[in-house]
Amino acid sequence: MNKTLKISLIFFVLIFISSCQTSEIEQPEQTLGLFYPDYVSKPVYGFEKNKLTHDGIQLGRMLFYDPILSSDSTISCGSCHAQAHAFADHNMKLSIGVNNRMGLRNSPPIFNLAWHPNFMWDGGVNHIEIMPLAPLTNHLEMNESIVNILLKLNRSQTYKSKFLQVFKKDSIDDQMMYYALTQFMGSITSFESKYDHVKQGKVAFSSSENRGYTLFKTHCNSCHQEPLFTNFSFRNNGLDSVFKDLGRALITLNHSDEGLFKVPSLRNVALTYPYMHDGRFRTLEEVINHYTSGIKHSKTLDTSFFENPIQLNPN
Amino acid sequence: MKKNIFSKIMLLSIATTAILFTSCKKDDDTGGDNTPTKGTVKLEFEHKWGMNLVPFSMGVDIKQPKTGDTLKFTTLKYYVSNIKFKKSDGTWWSQDESYHLVDASIPSSLIISIADVPIGTYTEMQYTMGVDSIRNVSGAQTGALSTANGMFWNWNSGYIMTKAEGMSPNSPSGDYALHLGGFQGEFNVVTVKSTDFGGEVLNVSPSATPQIHLVANPAKFWHTNPGVKTISKIHMPGANAKQAAKDFYDGIFFDHIHP
């Protein structure tokens, strides 16, 4: 080969090697999208900065089930958010944290979180990414400090290599931990119910389901709004006339928010018993009985219970 | 002839390579010459106590002149953010990602180093006490804003913008904890502060690191609020947090510049 040609080739090769460090040979992992049917609105959390990847979701799942995130390595997120119960607790009224400490409210299920504008029964947490901060550090729950969690994660070669793979950083920080947990929790969706299949024209409701759907649309849909089966508002649904738990008012400090709690989704509702913020109702029948004959009056009771009382047997 | 073509290809290669090499340079490089165009400014927070501005120390008993309480501080931390300097031509320079956590127990944190300030003469500065509302609602952050700093409420999202804790025999519980925050509505404590340099100027040059001295007075937490016998704990946004933060932030003043 001609010497000049050789030099030219070398230069051409150099062009590619030198064409900026960012274009590493490494292929970035394909980012995933959140699947949802067309009758569902766009989620509020879109994974724009926190790119959803297969490895990221796997890492989040690993963290979710790892008890080292708690102070005495006994409790993981999965301890009180069980997949068999749509990621609500194992039918406990209130959840048990480290040292058998009893929590204050019923563990909510985990699905369709990317659509939630806020979190917790009182809406106190304003972003999906920092949602885990509450259970991780609450002394009644996992009772651990973020500093300690990061120490433990950074001591683990397994975690270090997995975080490096997903986030391309050597040292694990709390943002990476929240991002991974958000990838797992935010990608859990509920869009394969019978309701969804009916919406998609794949199957039809039975006649009794249809009667239930009609009743639902008359009496429940204003708060438990289709297709997510919640409009994420805060309501006093008449549980008490004197409030043991002030609910939303603890966050807003408004008297008009006393006794209001976030409307839960009715998706997977058969799996998530017991019901209400304190788990007081064991069965769905008890819930229906409450709405038909158990509403207690108070100054913040939702007006829909006056205007449109639930009458399941109008005859 | 053949050789000529190769020479042309080679020249082209060299030229392309040169272009690519140049295009990889960082944006903040300044073309040909290497004259530095930027300098560093330091912003020091000095803590002084009470009306007479006596030296303040952590971990020792100190008397609050207004309430008469004896206080021993164990924690004093606060956020300073969005630092800006006004040039003598009237234009402003703003620091990027300008979030700093001052911790009275960590001497190095009392001096905020602000790099890459364009050289020139500056006459005023602006800074924010607290963390702007957008970062309170934007999920997981890093650096000074990381939740590992213990300055983010876990149950009522938002930054604890200022945290003062300690022991006091005047408190019914023997201690006090003021966790001051709130970024919206009537209880918003985020405070933008502006100060001119009182005739002094801030000369930013590559050869010197001027140091701006601000004085903060932790006795001001009780300027309006009653003593720790009445309010020993503030754990959420509200009227008490707003008052204590306002008084503390109002009490921060420009002292001098070390050229």
Side-chain angles (χ1 to χ4, degrees):
Chain A
M1 207 199 273
N2 184 304
K3 194 182 171 191
T4 332
L5 181 59
K6 270 191 202 164
I7 296 171
S8 298
L9 268 175
I10 290 168
F11 271 108
F12 265 109
V13 172
L14 264 177
I15 288 171
F16 293 109
I17 294 174
S18 66
S19 64
C20 299
Q21 287 164 328
T22 41
S23 61
E24 295 276 356
I25 316 113
E26 199 175 311
Q27 286 291 319
E29 201 196 347
Q30 199 194 339
T31 55
L32 308 171
L34 205 55
F35 166 79
Y36 53 97
D38 55 10
Y39 49 85
V40 172
S41 61
K42 229 180 122 205
V44 292
Y45 186 78
F47 295 95
E48 286 94 1
K49 278 198 280 183
N50 179 17
K51 296 286 178 221
L52 199 56
T53 62
H54 181 76
D55 287 345
I57 295 170
Q58 286 291 340
L59 175 56
R61 185 177 188 277
M62 186 173 164
L63 289 164
F64 187 87
Y65 288 110
D66 196 336
I68 70 159
L69 299 189
S70 65
S71 60
D72 60 2
S73 295
T74 58
I75 307 278
S76 74
C77 307
S79 302
C80 305
H81 296 281
Q83 182 165 1
H85 299 283
F87 294 96
D89 206 344
H90 301 265
N91 312 127
M92 309 273 290
K93 262 183 156 181
L94 303 171
S95 298
I96 308 292
V98 299
N99 296 325
N100 287 318
R101 291 175 194 160
M102 182 79 78
L104 300 174
R105 291 182 185 147
N106 185 251
S107 294
I110 294 172
F111 56 79
N112 300 347
L113 292 194
W115 281 263
H116 285 236
N118 49 50
F119 300 87
M120 305 294 165
W121 281 102
D122 55 22
V125 174
N126 66 20
H127 199 285
I128 185 174
E129 287 168 8
I130 43 105
M131 208 284 305
L133 176 66
L136 290 172
T137 58
N138 188 311
H139 76 289
L140 299 177
E141 299 178 47
M142 295 165 83
N143 188 42
E144 185 56 293
S145 73
I146 299 301
V147 172
N148 274 343
I149 290 170
L150 294 179
L151 277 175
K152 288 189 261 187
L153 293 178
N154 277 299
R155 267 204 303 258
S156 153
Q157 277 316 312
T158 313
Y159 274 118
K160 284 201 81 147
S161 67
K162 284 187 185 295
F163 271 100
L164 178 65
Q165 199 179 337
V166 176
F167 298 104
K168 318 292 176 218
K169 284 187 198 162
D170 287 324
S171 173
I172 304 166
D173 65 22
D174 55 331
Q175 186 186 55
M176 291 153 72
M177 176 188 70
Y178 294 131
Y179 275 10
L181 280 167
T182 300
Q183 291 204 25
F184 174 60
M185 292 191 289
S187 59
I188 300 171
T189 56
S190 159
F191 295 122
E192 290 292 339
S193 65
K194 171 116 188 227
Y195 166 85
D196 293 291
H197 292 160
V198 171
K199 282 289 265 194
Q200 292 157 16
K202 291 178 185 164
V203 289
F205 280 138
S206 69
S207 59
S208 112
E209 283 166 347
N210 248 324
R211 286 198 301 277
Y213 186 38
T214 304
L215 279 171
F216 167 82
K217 281 194 286 191
T218 313
H219 298 294
C220 319
N221 195 37
S222 63
C223 292
H224 296 286
Q225 202 180 316
E226 296 177 74
L228 296 171
F229 291 91
T230 169
N231 61 3
F232 304 112
S233 62
F234 299 90
R235 305 293 176 115
N236 171 355
N237 62 346
L239 293 174
D240 299 296
S241 41
V242 177
F243 309 122
K244 238 171 85 181
D245 183 337
L246 291 178
R248 182 66 179 157
L250 293 171
I251 304 302
T252 64
L253 301 178
N254 292 332
H255 291 304
S256 59
D257 287 333
E258 288 177 7
L260 274 62
F261 293 91
K262 190 175 168 187
V263 175
S265 172
L266 299 187
R267 285 177 175 271
N268 295 308
V269 73
L271 302 172
T272 63
Y273 62 93
Y275 305 106
M276 306 298 148
H277 66 275
D278 53 5
R280 68 176 66 186
F281 298 134
R282 182 106 197 120
T283 63
L284 282 171
E285 206 175 356
E286 286 179 48
V287 175
I288 300 294
N289 287 341
H290 166 72
Y291 283 119
T292 51
S293 59
I295 296 286
K296 295 198 178 68
H297 283 258
S298 63
K299 57 187 189 313
T300 59
L301 176 65
D302 202 84
T303 49
S304 55
F305 295 106
F306 300 108
E307 290 159 3
N308 192 16
I310 298 179
Q311 282 297 337
L312 294 183
N313 298 302
N315 311 325
Chain B
M1 187 65 194
K2 211 177 178 184
K3 197 173 179 184
N4 224 338
I5 291 170
F6 284 130
S7 322
K8 276 181 184 162
I9 291 174
M10 198 181 119
L11 266 175
L12 193 71
S13 311
I14 294 170
T16 319
T17 312
I19 289 166
L20 285 174
F21 268 119
T22 332
S23 70
C24 291
K25 277 192 178 173
K26 283 185 182 167
D27 295 339
D28 56 4
D29 278 1
T30 51
D33 67 275
N34 281 326
T35 318
T37 57
K38 287 164 184 181
T40 298
V41 174
K42 290 192 170 179
L43 179 62
E44 176 171 3
F45 279 83
E46 214 175 323
H47 294 131
K48 290 188 175 171
W49 183 256
M51 281 169 290
N52 298 324
L53 296 172
V54 297
F56 167 81
S57 298
M58 302 288 290
V60 294
D61 281 345
I62 190 164
K63 198 168 176 123
Q64 212 290 348
K66 229 173 153 179
T67 63
D69 290 341
T70 300
L71 306 164
K72 183 159 80 181
F73 275 76
T74 54
T75 303
L76 176 61
K77 289 159 88 170
Y78 49 88
Y79 278 109
V80 180
S81 60
N82 298 331
I83 296 169
K84 302 171 182 184
F85 296 118
K86 189 183 183 183
K87 256 188 175 164
S88 44
D89 66 6
T91 59
W92 285 86
W93 175 86
S94 310
Q95 188 187 28
D96 270 350
E97 275 298 304
S98 186
Y99 299 97
H100 309 276
L101 182 58
V102 174
D103 183 340
S105 304
I106 303 172
S108 62
S109 78
L110 299 176
I111 300 173
I112 298 167
S113 193
I114 305 156
D116 294 329
V117 184
I119 54 172
T121 306
Y122 297 82
T123 56
E124 280 179 45
M125 74 174 292
Q126 199 187 75
Y127 58 100
T128 299
M129 294 304 296
V131 177
D132 49 87
S133 63
I134 189 84
R135 294 297 176 120
N136 283 269
V137 298
S138 301
Q141 306 291 318
T142 54
L145 298 180
S146 153
T147 60
N149 294 316
M151 296 292 278
F152 197 89
W153 275 300
N154 66 1
W155 59 282
N156 186 2
S157 299
Y159 283 95
I160 299 170
M161 316 242 181
T162 290
K163 189 187 256 191
E165 293 173 336
M167 314 302 287
S168 172
N170 306 94
S171 159
S173 55
D175 59 359
Y176 59 95
L178 312 182
H179 294 185
L180 313 179
F183 58 89
Q184 55 194 345
E186 59 175 320
F187 300 131
N188 182 359
V189 302
V190 182
T191 304
V192 176
K193 293 199 47 117
S194 294
T195 179
D196 60 29
F197 299 133
E200 293 184 65
V201 287
L202 178 70
N203 273 316
V204 178
S205 78
S207 57
T209 304
Q211 190 154 329
I212 302 166
H213 281 248
L214 299 178
V215 174
N217 181 351
K220 291 276 187 182
F221 289 123
W222 297 274
H223 183 71
T224 309
N225 276 355
V228 296
K229 191 180 171 194
T230 316
I231 304 174
S232 64
K233 304 279 160 67
I234 300 177
H235 274 301
M236 66 182 301
N240 291 339
K242 168 99 186 169
Q243 189 64 57
K246 183 186 184 303
D247 287 337
F248 177 61
Y249 295 159
D250 282 353
I252 298 172
F253 63 90
F254 166 78
D255 199 51
H256 63 279
I257 297 176
H258 268 314

